[in-house]
DNA sequence: CCAGTTAGTTCAATAGTTCCGAACTATGAA
DNA sequence: TTCATAGTTCGGAACTATTGAACTAACTGG
């Protein structure tokens, strides 16, 4: 479970980053992680969707360089790679989060 | 050809807007329209893709409230709905365009 | 007016992606 | 060891995207 792949941010295209953010469930996940880092799956509050779907959403966010996942016992801890993402796409995540519906 | 449908910006979700922007061809189209308004299809420079695909990309951008299309003879004129889009999602388009690869 | 050309849409087929239940893996607790 | 929990993987169903071909409509030259 613990061999997570995290891309270099230089390898992430703008279109790929936007694609990862272009989903209501993933937007919620990112917003939650922006507020309180280091959550596990259940902690993202997106648990109306099935586990397998969530797992896939996490993979999409990882592949877009938005989050980093670590195994912690049988949980998975996730954090936003905010500094790196902001360095790669300045202002983008801020404006996306600011425009998210409350 | 000329019965284009343009949504109210209040009906456009953030996820839908991001989805429309999450494609390299559409990003090019939007960037081109941001630079020189009122282009037709051929003028967007995205002509490596076939006509039917382009036509579809224009529809996606229209449905996301990003562009307005008008028939002009046998051409189609398109402009960014920048003021309206910016009012709906402040700063979003700016940060996307600023992060586009040159 | 007519034939040809050009800009764009629509249709249908195919290719690719996403979703989600079921089965599986791995960790931890009793 | 046995049970429960957290998450992944697999595979099929549902959805989305891409594109050639056929079509529509408007302009152009004779």
């Amino acid at each position: 479970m613990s061999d997570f792949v995290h891309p270099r941010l230089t390898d992430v295209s703008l279109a790929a980053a936007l694609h990862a953010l272009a989903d209501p469930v993933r937007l919620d996940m990112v917003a939650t992680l922006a507020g309180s880092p280091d959550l596990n799956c259940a902690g993202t509050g997106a648990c109306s969707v099935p586990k397998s779907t969530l797992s896939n959403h996490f993979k999409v966010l990882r592949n877009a360089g938005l989050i980093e996942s670590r195994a912690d016992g049988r949980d998975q801890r996730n954090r936003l790679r905010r500094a790196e993402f902001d360095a790669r796409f300045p202002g983008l995540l801020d404006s996306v989060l600011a425009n998210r519906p409350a």
Side-chain angles (χ1 to χ4, degrees), chain A:
Chain A
M1 188 222 270
S2 48
D3 51 348
F4 296 119
V5 174
H6 297 102
R8 286 186 302 270
L9 266 287
T10 47
D11 292 342
V12 176
S13 70
L14 176 60
L18 291 171
H19 170 78
L21 293 166
D23 179 281
V25 174
R26 289 195 294 263
L27 276 175
D28 282 355
M29 294 165 77
V30 167
T32 302
L33 288 170
S36 36
D38 231 36
L39 292 174
N40 61 2
C41 267
T44 57
C47 284
S48 55
V49 313
K51 292 193 314 171
S52 53
T53 306
L54 250 200
S55 185
N56 195 55
H57 283 317
F58 273 109
K59 186 156 68 177
V60 171
L61 292 175
R62 259 196 313 276
N63 290 342
L66 273 157
I67 66 170
E68 182 187 272
S69 308
R70 247 178 309 8
D72 172 19
R74 79 194 137 170
D75 296 13
Q76 169 188 305
R77 298 276 150 185
N78 301 284
R79 69 165 190 92
L80 263 195
R81 298 175 67 183
R82 201 189 233 293
E84 294 157 280
F85 193 87
D86 286 352
R88 174 76 175 90
F89 301 113
L92 182 62
L93 194 49
D94 282 335
S95 71
V96 168
L97 290 174
N99 280 294
R100 215 177 47 97

